[in-house]
Amino acid sequence: MRFFDLLTMSVNNLKRRKLRTVLTVLGVTIGTASIVVMVSLGIGLKEMTIEQYTSYGSLTRIEVNSNYGWGTDVDEDGFITDDTIKVLEAIPHVAHVSPVLSTYVNMRQGVYTSGTRLQGVSSEMLKEIELAQGTLPDPNANTMQLVVGNMVARDFYNSKTGKGYWDTGEMPDVDLYNRSFFITFQNSGSNNGKQKKYVFPVSGLVKGNPDEYNEYSYGLFTDIEQLKTQLKRIYRKNAIPGQPTNKKGKPYNYFIYDLVYVNVDEMDHVLEVQNAITDMGFYAYSSMQWLEQAQEQTDMIQAVLGGIGAVSMFVAAISIANTMMMSIYERTKEIGVLKVLGCSLGSIRNMFLIEAGFIGFIGGIVGLILSYGVSYLVNNFLGAALIGGSGDISRIPPWLSGIAVIFAIIIGMLAGLFPAIRAMKLSPLAAIRNE
Amino acid sequence: METAAAREVVIRVKDLYKIYRMGDTKVHALDGVDFEIYRGEFCAITGPSGSGKSTLLNMLAGLEHPTKGEIVITGKHIEKLNEKQLVAFRRAHVGFIFQSYNLLATMNAIENVALPLSFKGIPKAVRLKQAKKYLTLVGLGTHMKHMPNQMSGGQQQRVGIARALASEPQIIFADEPTGNLDSKTTMEVLRLMQQIVKEQNQTLIMVTHDNNLATYADRIFKIIDGKIVHIEENHREVDLVALEHAYQTGLPSEKIDESRDV
Ligand SMILES: Nc1ncnc2c1ncn2[C@@H]1O[C@H](COP(=O)(O)OP(=O)(O)OP(=O)(O)O)[C@@H](O)[C@H]1O
Ligand SMILES: [Mg+2]
């Protein structure tokens, strides 16, 4: 028998018993909706966790710290140098590696002053900083250009009173983007003279209001190559503060980075890369490793939620099986007639499977529509109150919609399988006997 | 009429037994039956109630397995076929007319007639054309869209006949096809069956407990207690006029009385 003919017969049979069909479909509708809504809550929870972690820092980034000890116990194997960068870059799935060269500087604008780390990072890394105003530093400019964090001004204190924002709660009158400020570098060990004051152009301001935190908010950034040039110019042959020295107290003739950012191509590969780096003897840290743990938790919550939904789907499956069984008892004679007239056993089985699958299909579709409705209500009237935070707590991604309907069809057909086989095995003699 | 031996054998039954076991007792529904049926023949199986007529027909149609014996239809031993093969066999070779019509309540007349063709995977347009042809043939050209519950018993049985014929089977089985019809309709339906089957050289095997109806057949098999006691060649050209007269007037003719006590 052709599939379309089977489908027509099945649908006509469902139409014949409208009320019963509607009630069974209702069961599947509720079952599907409860699974979809529960899973959507799980997904929402999971995604919100990821979003939260993302706000702490890029999830594809690994921070690698050098591991060379302190003072006289310097172990040169633990240095992160340009050679190390090349090794890190060779690890599979590493997109790009940016060393961070940082040096402690003092900033001053008017009476306000603050100490902070000036971080030199690669131009690729700089590109990840979202700016509110201006541009990223030009690596080819003659002088070093800066990007200032949107919250850096908070750290300034009044040099006369010795009090700042953290003491008084009053924002210091500091505008690092529009007004110039002085920067002084640290003294080198041998050079005890007073350091020169520099003014560097500020090319960009990190995105966000003064009270909107992101990972770049408190930073002062520049291009690493320019920082190197600048440092060499200032300290010449002397040891640069913060850089390790050899056993004789002499500086190395290359830069040693205390921090490297390794950017991985995809979230899924972060831990793999991180393990490779740890195996090389460095300290590696990523938000991903914490997220992984958090995700185990959300996965479990999701499984529990899905399980609750599955119970009502199970009840719906039983009701489909029941409906189909009843239908088969009622139609014993009709099935016999079909068999006498030469309808193949497979077609009879399929007819009932399609009937059950169709109940699942309609229930799945209606259930999905219901889910969207419930999801809307939860997001708009419950979500925020339920767990706090922003964003939708119930999220139905397209794949969930697709799977839900397919799942409903499969459940329907599974529930219909036993009745269908039962129908297939009915005797054709039932058609002959008169009731 | 040619001699039987010269004609093609469609059904050959040899030493056929059907024994139902009911606890300790055995019911010999069929107790050693042998016969042959030829292409284009209209055979009637008669006998008293409980004699095994339906049992025989059901086994010929492959609805029941014999306890012992052979049934060869168009060269195939159908007693050896399994359920699946039997369905395929019926689909290909057999039409069936039921006493209680057994039309599908969800389908109208033309869809019911086209149903067996859909089992063969024939496309809808072709099916409906064929169904229309046979519905017209049984005189229901004007009732194609009627649902079973909108038709009289006689009309329903005509649809049943059209359904059995539509797939153009070699053999048509009918178990008491007129059992639920009044005498006038019975006449019409029987004549219709007889006529169409003759035109298309199909084999028709009909069970009836009514000897008068059996006179429409070419041969009459008489069964008593599971045994064929008598096979009668029928010269119905002579009988029919009287029979029809009898049914129309409601007065049984002498001939009919006679045949009743056989
Ligand atoms: N499924 C069964 N189980 C047990 N005995 C059966 C079964 N079917 C038929 N019989 C017995 O077999 C015998 C023949 O039955 P069958 O139905 O063939 O009679 P019939 O000639 O068609 O009678 P009727 O004219 O009343 O329809 C009867 O004695 C009946 O009781
Ligand atoms: Mg009978």
PDB file of all heavy atoms in Angstrom, chain B residues 53-55 175-176 207, ligand 2:
ATOM      1  N   LYS B  53     -20.056 -25.994   5.416  1.00  0.00           N
ATOM      2  CA  LYS B  53     -19.963 -25.181   4.195  1.00  0.00           C
ATOM      3  C   LYS B  53     -18.980 -24.024   4.373  1.00  0.00           C
ATOM      4  O   LYS B  53     -18.073 -23.826   3.561  1.00  0.00           O
ATOM      5  CB  LYS B  53     -21.349 -24.608   3.833  1.00  0.00           C
ATOM      6  CG  LYS B  53     -22.444 -25.614   3.716  1.00  0.00           C
ATOM      7  CD  LYS B  53     -23.759 -24.987   3.327  1.00  0.00           C
ATOM      8  CE  LYS B  53     -24.325 -24.032   4.368  1.00  0.00           C
ATOM      9  NZ  LYS B  53     -24.869 -24.727   5.560  1.00  0.00           N
ATOM     10  N   SER B  54     -19.200 -23.260   5.431  1.00  0.00           N
ATOM     11  CA  SER B  54     -18.336 -22.097   5.668  1.00  0.00           C
ATOM     12  C   SER B  54     -16.906 -22.530   5.906  1.00  0.00           C
ATOM     13  O   SER B  54     -15.964 -21.904   5.427  1.00  0.00           O
ATOM     14  CB  SER B  54     -18.836 -21.302   6.866  1.00  0.00           C
ATOM     15  OG  SER B  54     -20.107 -20.789   6.576  1.00  0.00           O
ATOM     16  N   THR B  55     -16.757 -23.611   6.650  1.00  0.00           N
ATOM     17  CA  THR B  55     -15.414 -24.120   6.928  1.00  0.00           C
ATOM     18  C   THR B  55     -14.684 -24.398   5.616  1.00  0.00           C
ATOM     19  O   THR B  55     -13.519 -24.014   5.432  1.00  0.00           O
ATOM     20  CB  THR B  55     -15.509 -25.400   7.768  1.00  0.00           C
ATOM     21  OG1 THR B  55     -16.285 -25.125   8.924  1.00  0.00           O
ATOM     22  CG2 THR B  55     -14.133 -25.881   8.184  1.00  0.00           C
ATOM     23  N   ASP B 175     -19.930 -16.118   0.922  1.00  0.00           N
ATOM     24  CA  ASP B 175     -20.562 -16.929   1.969  1.00  0.00           C
ATOM     25  C   ASP B 175     -21.917 -16.321   2.285  1.00  0.00           C
ATOM     26  O   ASP B 175     -21.988 -15.256   2.886  1.00  0.00           O
ATOM     27  CB  ASP B 175     -19.670 -16.967   3.208  1.00  0.00           C
ATOM     28  CG  ASP B 175     -20.100 -18.062   4.176  1.00  0.00           C
ATOM     29  OD1 ASP B 175     -21.212 -18.606   3.982  1.00  0.00           O
ATOM     30  OD2 ASP B 175     -19.333 -18.369   5.099  1.00  0.00           O
ATOM     31  N   GLU B 176     -22.956 -17.013   1.870  1.00  0.00           N
ATOM     32  CA  GLU B 176     -24.328 -16.520   2.067  1.00  0.00           C
ATOM     33  C   GLU B 176     -24.456 -15.057   1.651  1.00  0.00           C
ATOM     34  O   GLU B 176     -24.854 -14.221   2.463  1.00  0.00           O
ATOM     35  CB  GLU B 176     -24.716 -16.637   3.548  1.00  0.00           C
ATOM     36  CG  GLU B 176     -24.441 -17.995   4.152  1.00  0.00           C
ATOM     37  CD  GLU B 176     -25.677 -18.880   4.200  1.00  0.00           C
ATOM     38  OE1 GLU B 176     -26.692 -18.519   3.558  1.00  0.00           O
ATOM     39  OE2 GLU B 176     -25.608 -19.933   4.834  1.00  0.00           O
ATOM     40  N   VAL B 207     -21.545 -20.099  -1.021  1.00  0.00           N
ATOM     41  CA  VAL B 207     -22.157 -20.944   0.004  1.00  0.00           C
ATOM     42  C   VAL B 207     -23.578 -20.466   0.240  1.00  0.00           C
ATOM     43  O   VAL B 207     -23.818 -19.260   0.331  1.00  0.00           O
ATOM     44  CB  VAL B 207     -21.361 -20.871   1.325  1.00  0.00           C
ATOM     45  CG1 VAL B 207     -22.180 -21.404   2.481  1.00  0.00           C
ATOM     46  CG2 VAL B 207     -20.054 -21.630   1.202  1.00  0.00           C
TER      47      VAL B 207
HETATM   48 MG    MG C   2     -21.771 -20.847   7.412  1.00  0.00          MG
END
